[in-house]
Each structure stands twice: as C-alpha cells, then as structure tokens.
Amino acid sequence: MDSDDNRDTAQGGDGRTVRERFAEAARAERPDLALLCLLIGAEADPASGEEGIDAAQIELDRLTGLLPYEPARDPRDWARALAVLLGEKHGFRGTADDYRRLESSLLGEVLKRRRGLPILLSVVWMEVARRAGAPVYGLALPGHFVVGLGEPAGEHVVVDPFAGGRLLDERDVELLVASSTGTALSEAMLQPAGPLEIVLRVLNNIRAWAAARPEHTDVQLWAVELSLLLPHHPARLRYERARLLVERGDFVGGAREMERYADTVAAMEPSAADAIRRQARAARARLN
C-alpha cells in the first residue's frame, strides 16, 4: 500500500480529491455504501485511482449477473443462492490470517482476493444482494458483522459471510456475541446497521490495525481523518488526530488541535482538558 502523505491532493477525473468525494458521498441523502468503501481503498492506495473504483463496481455488477434468475425467492432462498454463488463458486470467506492484513478492510482488495474481515465480506454480500433486488441489511454484532435477508421484524434469516454464508439460528447469534463480548444478545444488536455506521466501523478496524503497528501511523492518521469527514463521529477522534500529528513530527499542528479539543471538553471534563493542554505545551516545547 502507498504510504505517501499527499493522499488528500490526489484527484479523480472530475478534479475532486478522494476526501472531497468521500465527504460528499457521506452526506448524500442515501449514502452509497460500496462507493464509500471503495473511496477508503482509494485513500489507502492512491495509485489505484478511479480505475480501481470502476473495476470494483464492475465486479460487483458481474457477480450480481451470475445469480440465477428466480422471480419469487423467500429469505432462505436468497441466502442459499448467495451462498452458492459467493461462498461456494467464488470462495468468498475469511480466515484468522485475514485479521492481520490491511487488505482485508479494503473492498477492492477483498473482491480480488475473495478474503476479508467479516464486515467487508458482508459488504460484498449486501451489495450483490441489493443489486439483485433482495431485501438485505447488515447486523453490526459486537466483534462479528453478519447479514440479514428478509424483513428485520418479520420473516428473515441471518447468514455469516465470513463462514461462506452459513445460516445462523438464534443460538448461533447468541454464541457469536457471547464469544466476542461475554455479554448476552440484546434487541439493539439486531437493528439494521446504516451505511455510515458500517463505514465508521470499517475505519475503526483500520485504525485498530494500524495502532497495533507503530510503523503505520500514516494509515492510522488517514483513517482518523476520513472518520472525521462523516456527519457523526466520536469527538475523541479529534484528540487522536492531534496526538498522531505530534507523533509524526507536526508539533505545532498537533498542539493546536489538542488545544482546540481541550476547549471543547473543558466544561464537562476540566481535569482532562488541563491534561491535554499540558500535552500541547509539551509538544510545542519540542520545537526548541
């Protein structure tokens, strides 16, 4: 992956940068999940450019066209048809090794490798199913994203794309949640995840991947900065960005961001704000 710091200046054919397109897509009335995920990939690898985005969209359309036509499928029929096409014929699934690869969080790479994290494999399933006219939605279970087909409050099935499309019953879902968090399945966990919620979770995975690898602060920084372009994001990401700027040698920029964040949280967390201001002063002192 390209680690160049000039990602925000890379332009598409219409003259807009990847980040400008990402911000616009995130604020659309109906955010395009596939496009947003592909723009994350373009941020990770600027060399892929518009051609990479177009190629991935074409591949999603191609996969959709391979689904056998059937005018009246119920949720279980949809699940079986998608499992045969994506899981069996094309080998989309995941392994433990996929958690160690940045490519596993990039939709274009997942389409090429047929491997990825649960959430990116679920995006493939959701996008192919949506294009084919299936009633589909994502379920952001703690630690393991899965896909629902049908009506969330009515007839539906739940499948695990990471396992090639294995059907999950209620007990299976409960075990997935318990193994990830040690807590019980709640009704809130079964609510469909919106596109922006999914995109933020993808970016959180990238941030976590990079945070465990100090040599990849560049990746962590751009993942944070894309997250900040979403209409709703955790405020603390601003502090994470400031800290990363300092870590990467931008002492003035990082200190300035720390001070702004401290001003934001001062009313609610005065002691935390004071600690952050001390960090900002320490960052500025590193210039001397």
Side-chain angles (χ1 to χ4, degrees):
M1 294 297 156
D2 192 306
S3 61
D4 196 283
D5 286 331
N6 295 320
R7 290 182 175 86
D8 57 345
T9 63
Q11 294 183 338
D14 59 2
R16 291 178 298 164
T17 67
V18 168
R19 296 189 182 188
E20 288 171 339
R21 293 183 65 193
F22 184 89
E24 182 178 330
R27 285 165 173 74
E29 184 177 352
R30 295 184 177 180
D32 186 324
L33 174 60
L35 177 59
L36 285 163
C37 288
L38 291 170
L39 287 168
I40 291 173
E43 181 77 8
D45 182 12
S48 65
E50 194 66 30
E51 290 183 2
I53 293 175
D54 290 343
Q57 296 278 25
I58 289 170
E59 176 63 3
L60 287 169
D61 288 339
R62 185 187 75 84
L63 290 168
T64 303
L66 295 175
L67 269 175
Y69 175 73
E70 188 176 318
R73 285 191 175 105
D74 64 22
R76 190 170 291 271
D77 291 335
W78 276 114
R80 180 58 185 160
L82 289 161
V84 170
L85 174 68
L86 298 176
E88 296 178 16
K89 292 184 177 179
H90 286 83
F92 282 97
R93 61 181 59 247
T95 68
D97 184 61
D98 291 307
Y99 285 89
R100 295 189 284 271
R101 301 177 65 114
L102 176 59
E103 294 92 336
S104 299
S105 289
L106 307 176
L107 180 56
E109 293 297 320
V110 171
L111 285 167
K112 292 175 186 176
R113 297 176 54 244
R114 309 291 200 251
R115 293 289 185 272
L117 296 186
I119 190 169
L120 267 299
L121 291 166
S122 293
V123 169
V124 172
W125 270 65
M126 292 166 64
E127 286 299 309
V128 171
R130 180 184 64 80
R131 284 165 163 80
V136 64
Y137 55 95
L139 288 174
L141 300 180
H144 198 99
F145 203 97
V146 295
V147 169
L149 290 155
E151 296 299 325
E155 182 185 4
H156 67 275
V157 296
V158 177
V159 297
D160 183 3
F162 192 75
R166 182 172 72 93
L167 278 171
L168 304 176
D169 60 23
E170 185 175 352
R171 179 59 179 162
D172 294 325
V173 175
E174 290 174 348
L175 288 172
L176 272 179
V177 172
S179 64
S180 297
T181 65
T183 59
L185 178 68
S186 69
E187 191 64 32
M189 296 176 188
L190 298 176
Q191 298 306 305
L196 298 184
E197 179 184 350
I198 295 171
V199 170
L200 181 58
R201 184 157 166 167
V202 170
L203 289 168
N204 286 345
N205 288 340
I206 293 172
R207 287 171 47 232
W209 178 89
R213 296 163 176 82
E215 70 276 17
H216 288 297
T217 56
D218 59 324
V219 174
Q220 189 177 357
L221 180 59
W222 66 248
V224 168
E225 291 179 338
L226 284 185
S227 300
L228 289 169
L229 294 176
L230 296 173
H232 305 288
H233 54 260
R236 191 167 176 81
L237 286 178
R238 292 170 54 192
Y239 171 70
E240 184 174 336
R241 179 177 184 272
R243 183 182 55 76
L244 286 166
L245 289 175
V246 171
E247 195 171 326
R248 291 176 58 77
D250 184 357
F251 304 126
V252 172
R256 185 184 303 118
E257 290 300 312
M258 284 182 181
E259 289 162 349
R260 288 173 179 167
Y261 180 71
D263 291 342
T264 300
V265 302
M268 298 293 293
E269 302 177 68
S271 59
D274 289 343
I276 293 168
R277 291 191 181 101
R278 287 195 294 272
Q279 292 178 43
R281 289 195 293 271
R284 291 184 188 279
R286 294 174 69 176
L287 290 169
N288 301 325

